Amino acid sequence: GSNIILSQDEMKLGEPVTAGAVMVDGLGVGDVGNIVMRDRQHLAEDGILIVVLTLGKYTNQVLAGPDIVSRGFVYVRESEDLMEEARLTVQDALEGCLGSSRGQDWNRIKTVIKDALSDFVWKKTKRSPMILPIIMEVDA
């Protein structure tokens, strides 16, 4: 960009400086990184699916859910069948994952949920929303 040098007596054009895009994020200027911008673009294009479920701490059983919340993906009231199929897909994937003798590995469970739901949604809609599993653990 152009560089202008100001002094008490004169104004002159200085040496050019390297300049790029500046992101403005309401509160600050330039503090939004590439990863944040990529996530925002992804959310804007495909939306998000949030999977919420509750597991028993000692029983390794699903006590509630899985419930799926959609934002920016589909209008749920017009896509109830799709959302129910998605919920059943997650439920089936969980049963296979939790039925194994291995202990509770939260990362593995979340990966199983993401993979199963992502594959299902892509086959049905050719879209890839961000998938955010939320697992709550309770003493039961």
Side-chain angles (χ1 to χ4, degrees):
S2 300
N3 186 9
I4 299 174
I5 300 172
L6 299 172
S7 69
Q8 188 73 17
D9 302 324
E10 66 179 340
M11 177 175 81
K12 63 182 180 178
L13 198 56
E15 295 294 320
V17 295
T18 305
V22 176
M23 307 297 175
V24 178
D25 184 25
L27 300 175
V29 176
D31 58 353
V32 178
N34 290 337
I35 295 172
V36 172
M37 293 306 294
R38 185 198 66 212
D39 285 350
R40 288 181 182 179
Q41 186 68 34
H42 187 194
L43 287 169
E45 290 172 1
D46 293 322
I48 187 170
L49 291 175
I50 303 167
V51 181
V52 182
L53 62 112
T54 304
L55 291 179
K57 186 173 187 175
Y58 305 109
T59 62
N60 211 23
Q61 291 182 329
V62 178
L63 301 177
D67 294 322
I68 299 178
V69 179
S70 169
R71 292 292 181 266
F73 173 60
V74 292
Y75 185 57
V76 176
R77 291 194 178 135
E78 293 177 358
S79 304
E80 289 178 1
D81 292 342
L82 176 71
M83 296 304 285
E84 180 60 20
E85 282 184 70
R87 191 185 72 74
L88 292 173
T89 298
V90 171
Q91 192 170 350
D92 290 344
L94 275 171
E95 286 173 6
C97 177
L98 296 175
S100 66
S101 59
R102 293 162 52 181
Q104 289 182 355
D105 177 3
W106 300 116
N107 289 330
R108 185 175 62 86
I109 295 170
K110 289 180 179 184
T111 299
V112 166
I113 291 171
K114 284 181 189 177
D115 290 347
L117 190 54
S118 180
D119 289 346
F120 170 80
V121 168
W122 178 255
K123 287 176 187 171
K124 292 290 186 175
T125 66
K126 299 296 185 237
R127 292 172 63 193
S128 56
M130 190 175 289
I131 298 172
L132 180 64
I134 299 175
I135 301 172
M136 295 174 282
E137 182 181 64
V138 296
D139 292 334

